[in-house]
Amino acid sequence: MAPADDAPLTKASDWRRLPEAGTVLGIRFVVALATVCGRTITSGFLWILAWYYALASSRARRASRAYLVRIGEPTTLVAIARHVHMFARVSVDRLFFLRGRTASFVVETHGDELLADLNARGQGAILLGSHLGSFEAMRAAGKNEGLRLSVVVDARSAERLGRVIRELAPDAHVSVIPVDPDGISTALRVRDAIKRGELVGILADRRAEEADRNVTVDFLGATAAFPVGPYLVAHTLRCPVFQVFGLFSTPNRYDLFCEPFADAVRLERDDREGSLRTYAQRYAARLEHFAKRAPYNWFNFYDFWSEW
C-alpha cells in the first residue's frame, strides 16, 4: 500500500512503491501534443501539471524542498513548481530520444571520444549514470556513434519502461537489464553484455533497499547513503568504468559529459568497505559538481539525506 500523501518519503523504496503517476495513454497524449504543437506549447501545458503537483501534493513539496535547500536554491512554491516542471520536460524529451526524433534538440557532447574509442576496440565498459538530467540523451548520442548500450534498472521500473517503449517507440532498440532479487541473473547478463563489447549503464545515485548494500559519504554538505552494487559488479568484471551526465537547459539543449572513473575497480581484501566508500565518495563528488551546474535537473524525489 502506498504511503499517504502527508507521509514523508525517506527511502528510495518508498518512492518505488507509489502508483504510477501517469498512464501510457496520458503519456501518449503529451507526446502527441508535443509532436503536433511543438515543445514550446507543450511546455506551457506541463507548467499546469507542475503547479498542480506543487500545490496538491505535500509529498512532492517535501521531496523537492529537501533537495533545493541542500543545493542552495530557493525553496519557494515557485521554485518547487520549476523543479517539477523540469522533471516533466525531461521526461517528455526522453520519449523523443527513444523514438529517434532529435532534430529539435541541440546536443553537445564532451568526452564522447572516450566511448568512440571503446567502440572501435570492441571493449565493453560500465557507465555510471544518475537521476540527474537525462540518461536517454546519452543513449541517443551513443546510437549515433553505433554504440550498443543496455541499462540496469529496478525490475518494476523495467516492466513500466518496457510497456511505455512498446506502446510509444516500438522500433527503439533499447536493452533493459532488470535487477533480480538475488542479483545473480543481473550480474550474469551484465557480464555477457560486457563480453560482447557493449556499454552497460548503471544508475549509481539511488540507495539500495538493503542497508548493507550502501555506504554513507559526503554529498551536498551532509552524509547520504549511496549504493555499492555498481562497484561490486565492476570489481568482479575488471572492466573500465566511466561516469556520464546528460544535463538539460532550456529551451532545447542537452550537454552530455563522459569522464573516466576507473580503469578497473579493485577492492582491498582487508578493507573492502573502505574501498567501496572511496569509490562512492569519488562518484558523489562529481555528481555534486554537475548538480551545482544544473540544480533543477535533480530527479531523486525522496529525502536523500534521511537516516536509514
Side-chain angles (χ1 to χ4, degrees), residues 9-17 156 205-216 223-228 302-308:
L9 274 176
T10 59
K11 300 180 182 179
S13 55
D14 291 335
W15 189 259
R16 295 190 190 103
R17 287 198 301 268
R156 284 160 288 187
D205 67 334
R206 183 166 289 177
R207 64 192 181 194
E209 294 187 31
E210 303 84 3
D212 62 354
R213 302 283 291 181
N214 303 285
V215 291
T216 55
T223 57
F226 278 74
V228 299
Y302 66 95
D303 188 355
F304 203 82
W305 295 267
S306 63
E307 293 185 5
W308 185 260

PDB file of all heavy atoms in Angstrom, residues 9-17 156 205-216 223-228 302-308:
ATOM      1  N   LEU A   9       8.475  10.825   2.517  1.00  0.00           N
ATOM      2  CA  LEU A   9       9.200   9.887   1.656  1.00  0.00           C
ATOM      3  C   LEU A   9      10.657   9.955   2.056  1.00  0.00           C
ATOM      4  O   LEU A   9      11.342  10.923   1.770  1.00  0.00           O
ATOM      5  CB  LEU A   9       9.059  10.295   0.187  1.00  0.00           C
ATOM      6  CG  LEU A   9       7.838   9.785  -0.561  1.00  0.00           C
ATOM      7  CD1 LEU A   9       7.834  10.387  -1.951  1.00  0.00           C
ATOM      8  CD2 LEU A   9       7.829   8.289  -0.654  1.00  0.00           C
ATOM      9  N   THR A  10      11.130   8.928   2.752  1.00  0.00           N
ATOM     10  CA  THR A  10      12.501   8.968   3.227  1.00  0.00           C
ATOM     11  C   THR A  10      13.409   8.004   2.485  1.00  0.00           C
ATOM     12  O   THR A  10      14.614   8.180   2.480  1.00  0.00           O
ATOM     13  CB  THR A  10      12.564   8.626   4.732  1.00  0.00           C
ATOM     14  OG1 THR A  10      12.003   7.325   4.934  1.00  0.00           O
ATOM     15  CG2 THR A  10      11.790   9.649   5.535  1.00  0.00           C
ATOM     16  N   LYS A  11      12.837   6.972   1.866  1.00  0.00           N
ATOM     17  CA  LYS A  11      13.653   5.954   1.227  1.00  0.00           C
ATOM     18  C   LYS A  11      13.344   5.857  -0.263  1.00  0.00           C
ATOM     19  O   LYS A  11      12.235   6.149  -0.704  1.00  0.00           O
ATOM     20  CB  LYS A  11      13.402   4.578   1.864  1.00  0.00           C
ATOM     21  CG  LYS A  11      13.716   4.503   3.351  1.00  0.00           C
ATOM     22  CD  LYS A  11      13.436   3.119   3.861  1.00  0.00           C
ATOM     23  CE  LYS A  11      13.698   3.010   5.366  1.00  0.00           C
ATOM     24  NZ  LYS A  11      13.407   1.654   5.867  1.00  0.00           N
ATOM     25  N   ALA A  12      14.343   5.401  -1.017  1.00  0.00           N
ATOM     26  CA  ALA A  12      14.111   5.138  -2.430  1.00  0.00           C
ATOM     27  C   ALA A  12      13.010   4.098  -2.587  1.00  0.00           C
ATOM     28  O   ALA A  12      12.205   4.162  -3.507  1.00  0.00           O
ATOM     29  CB  ALA A  12      15.399   4.648  -3.088  1.00  0.00           C
ATOM     30  N   SER A  13      12.948   3.126  -1.675  1.00  0.00           N
ATOM     31  CA  SER A  13      11.941   2.082  -1.781  1.00  0.00           C
ATOM     32  C   SER A  13      10.541   2.656  -1.591  1.00  0.00           C
ATOM     33  O   SER A  13       9.579   2.159  -2.169  1.00  0.00           O
ATOM     34  CB  SER A  13      12.198   0.987  -0.741  1.00  0.00           C
ATOM     35  OG  SER A  13      12.264   1.540   0.561  1.00  0.00           O
ATOM     36  N   ASP A  14      10.392   3.708  -0.770  1.00  0.00           N
ATOM     37  CA  ASP A  14       9.100   4.358  -0.616  1.00  0.00           C
ATOM     38  C   ASP A  14       8.626   4.901  -1.956  1.00  0.00           C
ATOM     39  O   ASP A  14       7.456   4.783  -2.317  1.00  0.00           O
ATOM     40  CB  ASP A  14       9.185   5.518   0.390  1.00  0.00           C
ATOM     41  CG  ASP A  14       9.411   5.035   1.810  1.00  0.00           C
ATOM     42  OD1 ASP A  14       9.050   3.879   2.103  1.00  0.00           O
ATOM     43  OD2 ASP A  14       9.955   5.807   2.608  1.00  0.00           O
ATOM     44  N   TRP A  15       9.565   5.538  -2.685  1.00  0.00           N
ATOM     45  CA  TRP A  15       9.193   6.121  -3.978  1.00  0.00           C
ATOM     46  C   TRP A  15       8.796   5.035  -4.969  1.00  0.00           C
ATOM     47  O   TRP A  15       7.860   5.188  -5.740  1.00  0.00           O
ATOM     48  CB  TRP A  15      10.372   6.939  -4.522  1.00  0.00           C
ATOM     49  CG  TRP A  15       9.995   7.725  -5.733  1.00  0.00           C
ATOM     50  CD1 TRP A  15      10.246   7.426  -7.030  1.00  0.00           C
ATOM     51  CD2 TRP A  15       9.277   8.962  -5.760  1.00  0.00           C
ATOM     52  NE1 TRP A  15       9.735   8.397  -7.853  1.00  0.00           N
ATOM     53  CE2 TRP A  15       9.141   9.341  -7.107  1.00  0.00           C
ATOM     54  CE3 TRP A  15       8.737   9.778  -4.759  1.00  0.00           C
ATOM     55  CZ2 TRP A  15       8.484  10.507  -7.483  1.00  0.00           C
ATOM     56  CZ3 TRP A  15       8.089  10.937  -5.140  1.00  0.00           C
ATOM     57  CH2 TRP A  15       7.962  11.292  -6.483  1.00  0.00           C
ATOM     58  N   ARG A  16       9.466   3.876  -4.940  1.00  0.00           N
ATOM     59  CA  ARG A  16       9.156   2.801  -5.866  1.00  0.00           C
ATOM     60  C   ARG A  16       7.770   2.224  -5.610  1.00  0.00           C
ATOM     61  O   ARG A  16       7.131   1.696  -6.510  1.00  0.00           O
ATOM     62  CB  ARG A  16      10.190   1.678  -5.763  1.00  0.00           C
ATOM     63  CG  ARG A  16      11.600   2.063  -6.187  1.00  0.00           C
ATOM     64  CD  ARG A  16      12.474   0.821  -6.267  1.00  0.00           C
ATOM     65  NE  ARG A  16      13.875   1.173  -6.440  1.00  0.00           N
ATOM     66  CZ  ARG A  16      14.762   1.139  -5.469  1.00  0.00           C
ATOM     67  NH1 ARG A  16      14.398   0.762  -4.259  1.00  0.00           N
ATOM     68  NH2 ARG A  16      16.021   1.465  -5.688  1.00  0.00           N
ATOM     69  N   ARG A  17       7.297   2.291  -4.350  1.00  0.00           N
ATOM     70  CA  ARG A  17       6.002   1.685  -4.031  1.00  0.00           C
ATOM     71  C   ARG A  17       4.834   2.541  -4.472  1.00  0.00           C
ATOM     72  O   ARG A  17       3.693   2.098  -4.458  1.00  0.00           O
ATOM     73  CB  ARG A  17       5.902   1.447  -2.516  1.00  0.00           C
ATOM     74  CG  ARG A  17       6.760   0.307  -2.027  1.00  0.00           C
ATOM     75  CD  ARG A  17       6.278  -0.151  -0.652  1.00  0.00           C
ATOM     76  NE  ARG A  17       6.318   0.909   0.313  1.00  0.00           N
ATOM     77  CZ  ARG A  17       7.331   1.166   1.118  1.00  0.00           C
ATOM     78  NH1 ARG A  17       8.419   0.452   1.037  1.00  0.00           N
ATOM     79  NH2 ARG A  17       7.272   2.154   1.999  1.00  0.00           N
ATOM     80  N   ARG A 156      10.692  -3.477 -11.296  1.00  0.00           N
ATOM     81  CA  ARG A 156       9.397  -2.840 -11.502  1.00  0.00           C
ATOM     82  C   ARG A 156       9.499  -1.696 -12.494  1.00  0.00           C
ATOM     83  O   ARG A 156       8.630  -1.492 -13.331  1.00  0.00           O
ATOM     84  CB  ARG A 156       8.851  -2.362 -10.162  1.00  0.00           C
ATOM     85  CG  ARG A 156       8.288  -3.492  -9.299  1.00  0.00           C
ATOM     86  CD  ARG A 156       8.212  -3.105  -7.843  1.00  0.00           C
ATOM     87  NE  ARG A 156       9.542  -3.033  -7.236  1.00  0.00           N
ATOM     88  CZ  ARG A 156       9.760  -2.847  -5.944  1.00  0.00           C
ATOM     89  NH1 ARG A 156       8.736  -2.694  -5.131  1.00  0.00           N
ATOM     90  NH2 ARG A 156      10.989  -2.808  -5.467  1.00  0.00           N
ATOM     91  N   ASP A 205      23.090   6.531  -8.051  1.00  0.00           N
ATOM     92  CA  ASP A 205      22.762   7.558  -7.068  1.00  0.00           C
ATOM     93  C   ASP A 205      21.439   7.312  -6.350  1.00  0.00           C
ATOM     94  O   ASP A 205      20.860   8.228  -5.783  1.00  0.00           O
ATOM     95  CB  ASP A 205      22.715   8.934  -7.743  1.00  0.00           C
ATOM     96  CG  ASP A 205      21.568   9.055  -8.738  1.00  0.00           C
ATOM     97  OD1 ASP A 205      21.123   8.013  -9.272  1.00  0.00           O
ATOM     98  OD2 ASP A 205      21.110  10.184  -8.984  1.00  0.00           O
ATOM     99  N   ARG A 206      20.960   6.078  -6.350  1.00  0.00           N
ATOM    100  CA  ARG A 206      19.747   5.774  -5.580  1.00  0.00           C
ATOM    101  C   ARG A 206      20.037   4.573  -4.707  1.00  0.00           C
ATOM    102  O   ARG A 206      20.307   3.480  -5.193  1.00  0.00           O
ATOM    103  CB  ARG A 206      18.555   5.506  -6.501  1.00  0.00           C
ATOM    104  CG  ARG A 206      17.260   5.246  -5.733  1.00  0.00           C
ATOM    105  CD  ARG A 206      16.053   5.337  -6.646  1.00  0.00           C
ATOM    106  NE  ARG A 206      15.795   6.724  -7.053  1.00  0.00           N
ATOM    107  CZ  ARG A 206      14.822   7.079  -7.900  1.00  0.00           C
ATOM    108  NH1 ARG A 206      14.052   6.156  -8.427  1.00  0.00           N
ATOM    109  NH2 ARG A 206      14.649   8.351  -8.209  1.00  0.00           N
ATOM    110  N   ARG A 207      19.962   4.775  -3.401  1.00  0.00           N
ATOM    111  CA  ARG A 207      20.411   3.742  -2.467  1.00  0.00           C
ATOM    112  C   ARG A 207      19.564   2.479  -2.561  1.00  0.00           C
ATOM    113  O   ARG A 207      18.391   2.499  -2.906  1.00  0.00           O
ATOM    114  CB  ARG A 207      20.377   4.285  -1.042  1.00  0.00           C
ATOM    115  CG  ARG A 207      19.006   4.649  -0.518  1.00  0.00           C
ATOM    116  CD  ARG A 207      19.147   5.441   0.770  1.00  0.00           C
ATOM    117  NE  ARG A 207      17.869   5.812   1.342  1.00  0.00           N
ATOM    118  CZ  ARG A 207      17.740   6.719   2.301  1.00  0.00           C
ATOM    119  NH1 ARG A 207      18.811   7.320   2.773  1.00  0.00           N
ATOM    120  NH2 ARG A 207      16.551   7.014   2.783  1.00  0.00           N
ATOM    121  N   ALA A 208      20.198   1.366  -2.236  1.00  0.00           N
ATOM    122  CA  ALA A 208      19.538   0.066  -2.268  1.00  0.00           C
ATOM    123  C   ALA A 208      18.606  -0.074  -1.068  1.00  0.00           C
ATOM    124  O   ALA A 208      18.766   0.596  -0.044  1.00  0.00           O
ATOM    125  CB  ALA A 208      20.584  -1.045  -2.257  1.00  0.00           C
ATOM    126  N   GLU A 209      17.633  -0.963  -1.208  1.00  0.00           N
ATOM    127  CA  GLU A 209      16.682  -1.172  -0.113  1.00  0.00           C
ATOM    128  C   GLU A 209      17.356  -1.828   1.085  1.00  0.00           C
ATOM    129  O   GLU A 209      16.981  -1.578   2.232  1.00  0.00           O
ATOM    130  CB  GLU A 209      15.510  -2.020  -0.603  1.00  0.00           C
ATOM    131  CG  GLU A 209      14.659  -1.322  -1.660  1.00  0.00           C
ATOM    132  CD  GLU A 209      13.405  -2.112  -1.995  1.00  0.00           C
ATOM    133  OE1 GLU A 209      12.886  -2.802  -1.094  1.00  0.00           O
ATOM    134  OE2 GLU A 209      12.947  -2.051  -3.142  1.00  0.00           O
ATOM    135  N   GLU A 210      18.369  -2.687   0.827  1.00  0.00           N
ATOM    136  CA  GLU A 210      19.068  -3.351   1.924  1.00  0.00           C
ATOM    137  C   GLU A 210      20.166  -2.421   2.447  1.00  0.00           C
ATOM    138  O   GLU A 210      21.029  -1.973   1.686  1.00  0.00           O
ATOM    139  CB  GLU A 210      19.685  -4.661   1.452  1.00  0.00           C
ATOM    140  CG  GLU A 210      18.687  -5.644   0.851  1.00  0.00           C
ATOM    141  CD  GLU A 210      18.413  -5.366  -0.623  1.00  0.00           C
ATOM    142  OE1 GLU A 210      19.059  -4.443  -1.172  1.00  0.00           O
ATOM    143  OE2 GLU A 210      17.555  -6.041  -1.192  1.00  0.00           O
ATOM    144  N   ALA A 211      20.141  -2.150   3.749  1.00  0.00           N
ATOM    145  CA  ALA A 211      21.084  -1.184   4.330  1.00  0.00           C
ATOM    146  C   ALA A 211      22.536  -1.583   4.103  1.00  0.00           C
ATOM    147  O   ALA A 211      23.398  -0.721   3.913  1.00  0.00           O
ATOM    148  CB  ALA A 211      20.807  -1.037   5.830  1.00  0.00           C
ATOM    149  N   ASP A 212      22.830  -2.896   4.112  1.00  0.00           N
ATOM    150  CA  ASP A 212      24.219  -3.322   3.961  1.00  0.00           C
ATOM    151  C   ASP A 212      24.711  -3.242   2.522  1.00  0.00           C
ATOM    152  O   ASP A 212      25.866  -3.576   2.236  1.00  0.00           O
ATOM    153  CB  ASP A 212      24.415  -4.733   4.511  1.00  0.00           C
ATOM    154  CG  ASP A 212      23.578  -5.785   3.780  1.00  0.00           C
ATOM    155  OD1 ASP A 212      22.759  -5.405   2.918  1.00  0.00           O
ATOM    156  OD2 ASP A 212      23.760  -6.984   4.074  1.00  0.00           O
ATOM    157  N   ARG A 213      23.858  -2.800   1.622  1.00  0.00           N
ATOM    158  CA  ARG A 213      24.256  -2.616   0.224  1.00  0.00           C
ATOM    159  C   ARG A 213      24.534  -1.144  -0.083  1.00  0.00           C
ATOM    160  O   ARG A 213      24.568  -0.732  -1.240  1.00  0.00           O
ATOM    161  CB  ARG A 213      23.160  -3.124  -0.719  1.00  0.00           C
ATOM    162  CG  ARG A 213      22.802  -4.579  -0.540  1.00  0.00           C
ATOM    163  CD  ARG A 213      23.821  -5.495  -1.147  1.00  0.00           C
ATOM    164  NE  ARG A 213      23.833  -5.440  -2.602  1.00  0.00           N
ATOM    165  CZ  ARG A 213      24.622  -6.172  -3.366  1.00  0.00           C
ATOM    166  NH1 ARG A 213      25.486  -7.011  -2.800  1.00  0.00           N
ATOM    167  NH2 ARG A 213      24.590  -6.082  -4.687  1.00  0.00           N
ATOM    168  N   ASN A 214      24.731  -0.357   0.974  1.00  0.00           N
ATOM    169  CA  ASN A 214      25.011   1.063   0.834  1.00  0.00           C
ATOM    170  C   ASN A 214      26.188   1.455   1.713  1.00  0.00           C
ATOM    171  O   ASN A 214      26.527   0.752   2.660  1.00  0.00           O
ATOM    172  CB  ASN A 214      23.787   1.904   1.258  1.00  0.00           C
ATOM    173  CG  ASN A 214      22.537   1.566   0.485  1.00  0.00           C
ATOM    174  OD1 ASN A 214      22.386   1.942  -0.669  1.00  0.00           O
ATOM    175  ND2 ASN A 214      21.614   0.857   1.123  1.00  0.00           N
ATOM    176  N   VAL A 215      26.790   2.586   1.381  1.00  0.00           N
ATOM    177  CA  VAL A 215      27.763   3.227   2.263  1.00  0.00           C
ATOM    178  C   VAL A 215      27.379   4.696   2.368  1.00  0.00           C
ATOM    179  O   VAL A 215      26.735   5.249   1.473  1.00  0.00           O
ATOM    180  CB  VAL A 215      29.218   3.097   1.729  1.00  0.00           C
ATOM    181  CG1 VAL A 215      29.695   1.660   1.809  1.00  0.00           C
ATOM    182  CG2 VAL A 215      29.325   3.639   0.311  1.00  0.00           C
ATOM    183  N   THR A 216      27.773   5.330   3.461  1.00  0.00           N
ATOM    184  CA  THR A 216      27.475   6.748   3.627  1.00  0.00           C
ATOM    185  C   THR A 216      28.701   7.574   3.264  1.00  0.00           C
ATOM    186  O   THR A 216      29.824   7.260   3.666  1.00  0.00           O
ATOM    187  CB  THR A 216      27.059   7.054   5.081  1.00  0.00           C
ATOM    188  OG1 THR A 216      28.075   6.605   5.977  1.00  0.00           O
ATOM    189  CG2 THR A 216      25.744   6.368   5.411  1.00  0.00           C
ATOM    190  N   THR A 223      25.882  13.847   5.100  1.00  0.00           N
ATOM    191  CA  THR A 223      26.112  12.462   4.714  1.00  0.00           C
ATOM    192  C   THR A 223      24.847  11.879   4.078  1.00  0.00           C
ATOM    193  O   THR A 223      23.728  12.212   4.478  1.00  0.00           O
ATOM    194  CB  THR A 223      26.511  11.605   5.921  1.00  0.00           C
ATOM    195  OG1 THR A 223      25.492  11.695   6.927  1.00  0.00           O
ATOM    196  CG2 THR A 223      27.838  12.066   6.485  1.00  0.00           C
ATOM    197  N   ALA A 224      25.062  11.036   3.094  1.00  0.00           N
ATOM    198  CA  ALA A 224      23.953  10.387   2.394  1.00  0.00           C
ATOM    199  C   ALA A 224      24.377   8.979   2.013  1.00  0.00           C
ATOM    200  O   ALA A 224      25.566   8.690   1.856  1.00  0.00           O
ATOM    201  CB  ALA A 224      23.561  11.189   1.151  1.00  0.00           C
ATOM    202  N   ALA A 225      23.402   8.097   1.868  1.00  0.00           N
ATOM    203  CA  ALA A 225      23.670   6.704   1.506  1.00  0.00           C
ATOM    204  C   ALA A 225      23.712   6.547  -0.006  1.00  0.00           C
ATOM    205  O   ALA A 225      22.807   6.982  -0.708  1.00  0.00           O
ATOM    206  CB  ALA A 225      22.598   5.796   2.096  1.00  0.00           C
ATOM    207  N   PHE A 226      24.781   5.926  -0.490  1.00  0.00           N
ATOM    208  CA  PHE A 226      24.923   5.612  -1.913  1.00  0.00           C
ATOM    209  C   PHE A 226      25.093   4.100  -2.057  1.00  0.00           C
ATOM    210  O   PHE A 226      25.717   3.455  -1.209  1.00  0.00           O
ATOM    211  CB  PHE A 226      26.141   6.327  -2.506  1.00  0.00           C
ATOM    212  CG  PHE A 226      25.887   7.757  -2.891  1.00  0.00           C
ATOM    213  CD1 PHE A 226      25.762   8.741  -1.914  1.00  0.00           C
ATOM    214  CD2 PHE A 226      25.773   8.122  -4.226  1.00  0.00           C
ATOM    215  CE1 PHE A 226      25.535  10.062  -2.259  1.00  0.00           C
ATOM    216  CE2 PHE A 226      25.533   9.442  -4.588  1.00  0.00           C
ATOM    217  CZ  PHE A 226      25.415  10.416  -3.609  1.00  0.00           C
ATOM    218  N   PRO A 227      24.594   3.521  -3.143  1.00  0.00           N
ATOM    219  CA  PRO A 227      24.676   2.070  -3.324  1.00  0.00           C
ATOM    220  C   PRO A 227      26.092   1.616  -3.662  1.00  0.00           C
ATOM    221  O   PRO A 227      26.852   2.337  -4.308  1.00  0.00           O
ATOM    222  CB  PRO A 227      23.719   1.806  -4.499  1.00  0.00           C
ATOM    223  CG  PRO A 227      23.777   3.071  -5.304  1.00  0.00           C
ATOM    224  CD  PRO A 227      23.898   4.177  -4.281  1.00  0.00           C
ATOM    225  N   VAL A 228      26.422   0.395  -3.251  1.00  0.00           N
ATOM    226  CA  VAL A 228      27.739  -0.175  -3.565  1.00  0.00           C
ATOM    227  C   VAL A 228      27.668  -1.166  -4.716  1.00  0.00           C
ATOM    228  O   VAL A 228      28.701  -1.605  -5.226  1.00  0.00           O
ATOM    229  CB  VAL A 228      28.355  -0.869  -2.328  1.00  0.00           C
ATOM    230  CG1 VAL A 228      28.549   0.132  -1.200  1.00  0.00           C
ATOM    231  CG2 VAL A 228      27.491  -2.048  -1.864  1.00  0.00           C
ATOM    232  N   TYR A 302      12.894  11.892  -3.197  1.00  0.00           N
ATOM    233  CA  TYR A 302      12.696  11.454  -1.818  1.00  0.00           C
ATOM    234  C   TYR A 302      13.775  12.131  -0.994  1.00  0.00           C
ATOM    235  O   TYR A 302      14.698  12.737  -1.547  1.00  0.00           O
ATOM    236  CB  TYR A 302      12.760   9.926  -1.692  1.00  0.00           C
ATOM    237  CG  TYR A 302      14.106   9.316  -1.986  1.00  0.00           C
ATOM    238  CD1 TYR A 302      15.006   9.036  -0.962  1.00  0.00           C
ATOM    239  CD2 TYR A 302      14.488   9.013  -3.286  1.00  0.00           C
ATOM    240  CE1 TYR A 302      16.246   8.480  -1.223  1.00  0.00           C
ATOM    241  CE2 TYR A 302      15.725   8.449  -3.558  1.00  0.00           C
ATOM    242  CZ  TYR A 302      16.594   8.186  -2.526  1.00  0.00           C
ATOM    243  OH  TYR A 302      17.816   7.622  -2.793  1.00  0.00           O
ATOM    244  N   ASP A 303      13.680  12.071   0.324  1.00  0.00           N
ATOM    245  CA  ASP A 303      14.653  12.738   1.168  1.00  0.00           C
ATOM    246  C   ASP A 303      15.955  11.954   1.143  1.00  0.00           C
ATOM    247  O   ASP A 303      16.134  10.982   1.869  1.00  0.00           O
ATOM    248  CB  ASP A 303      14.138  12.877   2.603  1.00  0.00           C
ATOM    249  CG  ASP A 303      15.060  13.739   3.462  1.00  0.00           C
ATOM    250  OD1 ASP A 303      16.136  14.132   2.955  1.00  0.00           O
ATOM    251  OD2 ASP A 303      14.707  14.028   4.610  1.00  0.00           O
ATOM    252  N   PHE A 304      16.868  12.398   0.304  1.00  0.00           N
ATOM    253  CA  PHE A 304      18.112  11.683   0.047  1.00  0.00           C
ATOM    254  C   PHE A 304      19.006  11.625   1.281  1.00  0.00           C
ATOM    255  O   PHE A 304      19.837  10.733   1.404  1.00  0.00           O
ATOM    256  CB  PHE A 304      18.851  12.409  -1.089  1.00  0.00           C
ATOM    257  CG  PHE A 304      19.842  11.563  -1.838  1.00  0.00           C
ATOM    258  CD1 PHE A 304      19.424  10.726  -2.852  1.00  0.00           C
ATOM    259  CD2 PHE A 304      21.179  11.619  -1.514  1.00  0.00           C
ATOM    260  CE1 PHE A 304      20.329   9.951  -3.556  1.00  0.00           C
ATOM    261  CE2 PHE A 304      22.107  10.847  -2.220  1.00  0.00           C
ATOM    262  CZ  PHE A 304      21.679  10.018  -3.241  1.00  0.00           C
ATOM    263  N   TRP A 305      18.834  12.555   2.213  1.00  0.00           N
ATOM    264  CA  TRP A 305      19.729  12.657   3.368  1.00  0.00           C
ATOM    265  C   TRP A 305      19.116  12.107   4.656  1.00  0.00           C
ATOM    266  O   TRP A 305      19.705  12.248   5.714  1.00  0.00           O
ATOM    267  CB  TRP A 305      20.132  14.113   3.569  1.00  0.00           C
ATOM    268  CG  TRP A 305      20.948  14.619   2.418  1.00  0.00           C
ATOM    269  CD1 TRP A 305      22.310  14.632   2.322  1.00  0.00           C
ATOM    270  CD2 TRP A 305      20.474  15.154   1.189  1.00  0.00           C
ATOM    271  NE1 TRP A 305      22.697  15.127   1.103  1.00  0.00           N
ATOM    272  CE2 TRP A 305      21.603  15.468   0.391  1.00  0.00           C
ATOM    273  CE3 TRP A 305      19.191  15.403   0.662  1.00  0.00           C
ATOM    274  CZ2 TRP A 305      21.481  16.013  -0.891  1.00  0.00           C
ATOM    275  CZ3 TRP A 305      19.069  15.938  -0.614  1.00  0.00           C
ATOM    276  CH2 TRP A 305      20.209  16.242  -1.376  1.00  0.00           C
ATOM    277  N   SER A 306      17.977  11.465   4.569  1.00  0.00           N
ATOM    278  CA  SER A 306      17.355  10.922   5.771  1.00  0.00           C
ATOM    279  C   SER A 306      18.150   9.727   6.263  1.00  0.00           C
ATOM    280  O   SER A 306      18.843   9.038   5.503  1.00  0.00           O
ATOM    281  CB  SER A 306      15.909  10.497   5.487  1.00  0.00           C
ATOM    282  OG  SER A 306      15.902   9.457   4.533  1.00  0.00           O
ATOM    283  N   GLU A 307      18.048   9.433   7.553  1.00  0.00           N
ATOM    284  CA  GLU A 307      18.724   8.270   8.120  1.00  0.00           C
ATOM    285  C   GLU A 307      18.019   7.011   7.651  1.00  0.00           C
ATOM    286  O   GLU A 307      16.824   6.992   7.473  1.00  0.00           O
ATOM    287  CB  GLU A 307      18.713   8.329   9.660  1.00  0.00           C
ATOM    288  CG  GLU A 307      19.559   9.462  10.227  1.00  0.00           C
ATOM    289  CD  GLU A 307      19.628   9.402  11.738  1.00  0.00           C
ATOM    290  OE1 GLU A 307      19.102   8.429  12.297  1.00  0.00           O
ATOM    291  OE2 GLU A 307      20.184  10.319  12.324  1.00  0.00           O
ATOM    292  N   TRP A 308      18.830   5.946   7.496  1.00  0.00           N
ATOM    293  CA  TRP A 308      18.232   4.664   7.047  1.00  0.00           C
ATOM    294  C   TRP A 308      17.303   4.115   8.101  1.00  0.00           C
ATOM    295  O   TRP A 308      17.615   4.105   9.280  1.00  0.00           O
ATOM    296  CB  TRP A 308      19.354   3.674   6.748  1.00  0.00           C
ATOM    297  CG  TRP A 308      18.789   2.406   6.179  1.00  0.00           C
ATOM    298  CD1 TRP A 308      18.557   1.251   6.826  1.00  0.00           C
ATOM    299  CD2 TRP A 308      18.384   2.205   4.832  1.00  0.00           C
ATOM    300  NE1 TRP A 308      18.028   0.313   6.004  1.00  0.00           N
ATOM    301  CE2 TRP A 308      17.912   0.888   4.765  1.00  0.00           C
ATOM    302  CE3 TRP A 308      18.344   3.003   3.697  1.00  0.00           C
ATOM    303  CZ2 TRP A 308      17.418   0.338   3.579  1.00  0.00           C
ATOM    304  CZ3 TRP A 308      17.871   2.452   2.534  1.00  0.00           C
ATOM    305  CH2 TRP A 308      17.410   1.135   2.481  1.00  0.00           C
TER     306      TRP A 308
END
